[in-house]
Amino acid sequence: MSDSKGRKPAGAWRAVGAWACALVLASGCTAHEGRGAPRDPAAFGTLVSQANGLYYHPFLREEPGSTEAQSYALRTLAETGGAGRITAAPQRAAALRADALKASALWGRYWLVPLRDAGLAGVLGRPDAARVEKLRTPGGWYEDPAVGGGDGARLSATWAALEVRSATGTLKELPGDHRRATVRWLTARARPGTSLDRAAALARCLHLLGTPVPSALSALPAPDASGFARSSGGARAQLLDDTYDYVLVQQSAGRTPRVDRAVWQQVLAHDAGSLDYDQLYGVVHVLRATGSPAGAFGAVRRRLEQARLEDGTVRDPSAYLGTTDASLFVQQLVKLGGRDTRDPRLLAAAERQARAADGPRDGASLLGLAALRHSAGGPVTPQEAALCTDPRTVPAVVNGDNAPDWARMAEVCAQAGTPVPPPRITRWSVGTLEDAQAAALLVTGLHTAGHAENVPAWLTAGVLRPWAEQPGAQASVYDQAVIVRAWMLLGGRPSGPLVERLARTFAAHRGCPGLPGLYRPDGEPGCDLKTSVAVRELDRDLHGRLGAR
């Protein structure tokens, strides 16, 4: 395996504030805003996004992380003695490759190396080396179209290109004059006073090309970690980067790196379960390079093995993005559990989202955030409340096609503490399951909005009864819960056998890893918040006879 961390050029790294917070250890940083204690048995705190503090949809847990995240996780497993193969289907392999190449034609291919080494066929091969070589310039350096120009970007691209050629076994085929041109270009930049990040790239490139690392690079001292405990979070993150770079320089020069191992052992002892994968790899590599045996990383290996999906790919919880929609469903579930939805942490996250540069601009999104803030204990402005009476946001005329959308917006307005006006309803025939679901959602939406008296005369319990009692094999858990509840709101009375059948059906779909109180859609391994709300609402109306609480 390569010793390269796969580093992007200076300025291209994403923010590391969350990780820096994790590194504060005993010196006073509070827990990361993305973490929170569960507020009910469904462990909703585990659904808080580390990225934005909102709740995320549970199905994300059944999807692999980005190719970059896979690369770091697999490299870390290899460093710590982990094993395992990736048996992903060709479609997933193609998606991972496409994700990598979309990010970078050079570093993206480098990220694919550990996936190939883990048995994922077809993601990297000799044709990639040929494509990489097309990015070479006559001056000996490489250029990555995704990064742009500048000396730092050229150095980064050259590093990635040489790593890919080495991994594909084609670096030895580099023509002599090309090799000499690249060595000249690199050595011209190996000067005293070179920053550690550039020194690492230069040293690693020269090592790959079989050229000794100049003393101007290898003589660079190790970063001083003595003030680690007194440093700010950002300074600690930078210290890891610098220490990793120093280690890479020394390894490339054939020397044994000497660092303050106690600092990084303490970091790993406290944060093996929370560091992002790239940072986790950095700490592990520093410790492995300075004497720690592979067997000393049990907590790291357990974390990564637990994050693996059945096909061997790895989840990346740090990338789960919370949404307003998911957060509103969680708030409904909290309320259905008889608990207070006021939540200062969630309110702060919603307010940050509203202020974000990429925050909501359309009426429905603005209304959703307003509803989330209100449910969490915040105010709703008159302008936001007016959206509930704006036909561009909440349909004024409801038919079989838009009834689900209207019902959803009626619920959102209810969570915003603002009623919607009764809509004008166009009759439709309830002849299919889709028609029945739309009719059921109209009924439940009218009741949520306080307009039960506006249920049209043609929509009776008799119309929904066949779909409630015999919905057919195509009816999902969500369909069954919504239709039976609407039928009951219209006066239907489910029999004991029907309730027992529903209880058995729902019990068979209850629970997913870490979320035992939620419900799964048919044929899906992950839980679904909307389905869980529908089942819990029906159970409430049935006075707990489904056992869904």
Side-chain angles (χ1 to χ4, degrees):
M1 151 184 157
S2 164
D3 290 331
S4 162
K5 191 181 178 188
R7 185 164 306 221
K8 298 177 183 178
W13 281 103
R14 59 180 173 77
V16 292
W19 173 79
C21 179
L23 286 183
V24 177
L25 306 178
S27 59
C29 182
T30 58
H32 184 275
E33 66 187 13
R35 299 189 184 92
R39 287 185 291 151
D40 82 352
F44 298 127
T46 67
L47 292 178
V48 175
S49 168
Q50 298 177 28
N52 62 11
L54 301 180
Y55 291 101
Y56 63 82
H57 283 285
F59 64 77
L60 291 175
R61 295 181 173 188
E62 304 306 317
E63 298 180 358
S66 69
T67 311
E68 182 180 8
Q70 303 291 325
S71 180
Y72 285 125
L74 291 170
R75 290 177 191 278
T76 305
L77 277 171
E79 292 250 11
T80 59
R85 305 285 286 173
I86 295 181
T87 58
Q91 297 89 336
R92 177 163 286 182
L96 288 168
R97 177 178 166 86
D99 172 64
L101 298 187
K102 181 179 180 181
S104 166
L106 292 173
W107 282 117
R109 286 183 164 89
Y110 174 70
W111 296 335
L112 292 169
V113 173
L115 280 77
R116 181 208 60 186
D117 293 345
L120 194 58
V123 293
L124 187 72
R126 290 183 65 88
D128 289 287
R131 290 186 176 276
V132 162
E133 201 57 24
K134 291 181 179 179
L135 300 176
R136 179 185 176 84
T137 69
W141 66 85
Y142 293 75
E143 292 187 346
D144 188 339
V147 176
D151 207 51
R154 291 171 177 173
L155 178 56
S156 172
T158 301
W159 182 5
L162 295 178
E163 293 284 7
V164 172
R165 293 214 58 167
S166 175
T168 55
T170 61
L171 185 56
K172 59 182 178 294
E173 300 170 8
L174 190 68
D177 56 336
H178 288 187
R179 182 184 297 266
R180 288 188 292 273
T182 300
V183 169
R184 280 196 303 271
W185 185 81
L186 291 167
T187 53
R189 282 151 181 78
R191 298 182 288 266
T194 300
S195 63
L196 276 170
D197 60 336
R198 289 195 173 216
L202 290 166
R204 177 62 182 168
C205 289
L206 290 169
H207 173 74
L208 289 169
L209 291 169
T211 300
V213 174
S215 59
L217 304 180
S218 60
L220 290 171
D224 181 7
S226 61
F228 180 85
R230 300 184 301 275
S231 300
S232 67
R236 297 176 184 198
Q238 185 61 53
L239 182 60
L240 171 58
D241 280 351
D242 291 345
T243 303
Y244 177 89
D245 290 333
Y246 161 78
V247 166
L248 191 57
V249 170
Q250 297 304 308
Q251 287 181 303
S252 299
R255 297 185 175 188
T256 300
R258 302 186 182 280
V259 304
D260 187 346
R261 287 171 43 79
V263 168
W264 305 112
Q265 288 171 329
Q266 185 184 26
V267 168
L268 207 59
H270 284 79
D271 296 294
S274 59
L275 293 174
D276 287 353
Y277 290 158
D278 55 342
Q279 298 143 357
L280 184 65
Y281 173 75
V283 176
V284 168
H285 186 80
V286 166
L287 290 173
R288 286 286 285 128
T290 55
S292 292
F297 301 94
V300 173
R301 193 163 57 250
R302 283 192 298 274
R303 172 194 171 183
L304 294 176
E305 291 293 357
Q306 290 169 0
R308 301 189 82 169
L309 297 168
E310 288 187 6
D311 64 5
T313 55
V314 183
R315 303 177 182 89
D316 180 16
S318 69
Y320 297 162
L321 191 63
T323 66
T324 303
D325 186 54
S327 300
L328 287 171
F329 281 129
V330 168
Q331 290 291 79
Q332 282 184 266
L333 289 166
V334 170
K335 185 175 182 180
L336 284 164
R339 292 164 178 81
D340 191 352
T341 63
R342 288 176 297 180
D343 182 349
R345 184 207 60 76
L346 182 59
L347 176 59
E351 290 173 341
R352 285 194 302 272
Q353 188 72 8
R355 295 191 301 267
D358 59 348
R361 297 293 178 265
D362 63 284
S365 298
L366 290 169
L367 179 56
L369 264 180
L372 183 57
R373 294 201 318 274
H374 184 265
S375 72
V380 173
T381 68
Q383 294 84 357
E384 291 167 337
L387 292 169
C388 289
T389 60
D390 187 339
R392 293 171 298 181
T393 303
V394 183
V397 179
V398 176
N399 54 45
D401 293 326
N402 70 359
D405 295 332
W406 178 86
R408 180 62 190 148
M409 296 312 299
E411 175 60 47
V412 170
C413 285
Q415 289 182 275
T418 304
V420 297
R424 192 168 78 252
I425 300 167
T426 301
R427 181 171 184 169
W428 66 90
S429 173
V430 185
T432 67
L433 177 61
E434 184 178 17
D435 296 332
Q437 187 208 78
L441 289 170
L442 173 61
V443 172
T444 59
L446 287 169
H447 277 74
T448 296
H451 300 309
E453 72 281 2
N454 292 97
V455 174
W458 57 267
L459 186 46
T460 65
V463 170
L464 286 183
R465 179 174 180 175
W467 299 101
E469 295 184 338
Q470 298 292 334
Q474 298 302 313
S476 66
V477 170
Y478 176 76
D479 292 332
Q480 294 178 67
V482 166
I483 292 172
V484 171
R485 179 168 178 251
W487 175 52
M488 291 175 59
L489 291 172
L490 293 175
R493 302 184 63 177
S495 65
L498 173 58
V499 174
E500 291 173 4
R501 175 176 63 78
L502 290 170
R504 288 194 302 271
T505 298
F506 296 162
H509 289 80
R510 181 168 181 161
C512 53
L515 298 166
L518 299 187
Y519 290 83
R520 305 183 307 276
D522 298 71
E524 297 292 336
C527 288
D528 178 64
L529 295 173
K530 183 174 75 169
T531 298
S532 300
V533 168
V535 172
R536 293 275 191 93
E537 287 181 328
L538 177 58
D539 188 53
R540 176 199 59 196
D541 292 358
L542 284 168
H543 307 291
R545 293 168 65 191
L546 296 175
R549 291 181 180 274

